[in-house]
Amino acid sequence: TFGDGWESRWTPSKWKESEGTAGKWVASAGKWFSDEVEDKGIQTSEDSKFFGLSAGFDSFSNEGKELIIQYQAKYEKDVECGGGYVKIGPKMSDATTFGDPTGYNIMFGPDKCGYTKRTHLIFNYKGKNVLKKSDLAYKQEGEGTSHLYRLVVKPDNTVLVEIDEEKIYEGSLKEDW
């Protein structure tokens, strides 16, 4: 969560700091909110910068169980090139190095660069990042609108993706990757 004390639970990346292109994170309810305290989240504070933020968690296994990854994103202005995705991966020895080259098991969420818009869903399989064969819909249009992203990986090797509780994909890991 990103309420008071979020800085003690999350580690900002220093990956692009030496190049002067690392952006700064702030806790904010943003431009549009109902309750400024309750609606506070993490926000990028600068345009045209690189952002990375990580938090560790205990190791787990989803063997025989559903794995659910869910988060909310709100773009307050149009993004020319950038992503609002999450990466779930192995524990890092130094969380400040988190960035584009960091290994991950799952990458999920909206990404846009120019005319290319999609919701990413990438799995790491046998050391390779494997992108879904067809693009998932991009639903991050509309400034100031929060969108709820939900990924469910099921024990039968099927996947469900919902955005704002609308199913945008359901299918097989084996057939669609």
Side-chain angles (χ1 to χ4, degrees):
T1 63
F2 297 105
D4 289 341
W6 70 271
E7 298 96 333
S8 68
R9 295 183 300 273
W10 292 86
T11 303
S13 174
K14 294 182 179 181
W15 170 53
K16 290 286 188 173
E17 218 171 62
S18 66
E19 298 172 21
T21 57
K24 303 252 186 283
W25 295 96
V26 295
S28 173
K31 293 179 193 174
W32 301 284
F33 55 85
S34 176
D35 181 304
E36 189 169 6
V37 174
E38 289 295 317
D39 294 344
K40 192 176 282 188
I42 196 73
Q43 183 180 51
T44 59
S45 64
E46 304 167 274
D47 292 338
S48 303
K49 298 284 185 176
F50 290 92
F51 293 88
L53 191 66
S54 64
F57 51 85
D58 293 335
S59 294
F60 66 91
S61 170
N62 66 313
E63 186 173 343
K65 300 180 270 186
E66 292 184 345
L67 171 65
I68 300 172
I69 298 170
Q70 180 174 291
Y71 71 102
Q72 189 170 326
K74 175 174 71 169
Y75 289 7
E76 294 198 335
K77 56 184 167 182
D78 190 29
V79 175
E80 186 176 313
C81 191
Y85 44 81
V86 296
K87 291 181 177 180
I88 308 296
K91 183 176 181 172
M92 297 180 294
S93 58
D94 180 3
T96 64
T97 63
F98 178 74
D100 189 47
T102 304
Y104 58 87
N105 302 100
I106 300 171
M107 183 171 130
F108 170 59
D111 192 33
K112 175 183 176 186
C113 201
Y115 293 107
T116 303
K117 303 175 189 179
R118 63 180 160 206
T119 297
H120 270 304
L121 183 50
I122 302 172
F123 291 95
N124 185 289
Y125 181 68
K126 294 185 178 181
K128 293 186 178 183
N129 295 332
V130 183
L131 183 63
K132 188 176 173 306
K133 291 178 184 174
S134 60
D135 285 345
L136 296 173
Y138 180 82
K139 302 277 187 172
Q140 198 59 44
E141 306 289 358
E143 295 175 3
T145 302
S146 292
H147 296 281
L148 182 66
Y149 290 83
R150 186 172 199 212
L151 167 65
V152 182
V153 181
K154 300 179 182 183
D156 64 358
N157 288 325
T158 60
V159 175
L160 170 67
V161 176
E162 296 176 336
I163 302 175
D164 299 330
E165 299 182 35
E166 174 190 345
K167 179 172 63 174
I168 64 163
Y169 169 77
E170 188 168 25
S172 166
L173 278 168
K174 185 176 180 181
E175 294 171 15
D176 293 339
W177 272 263

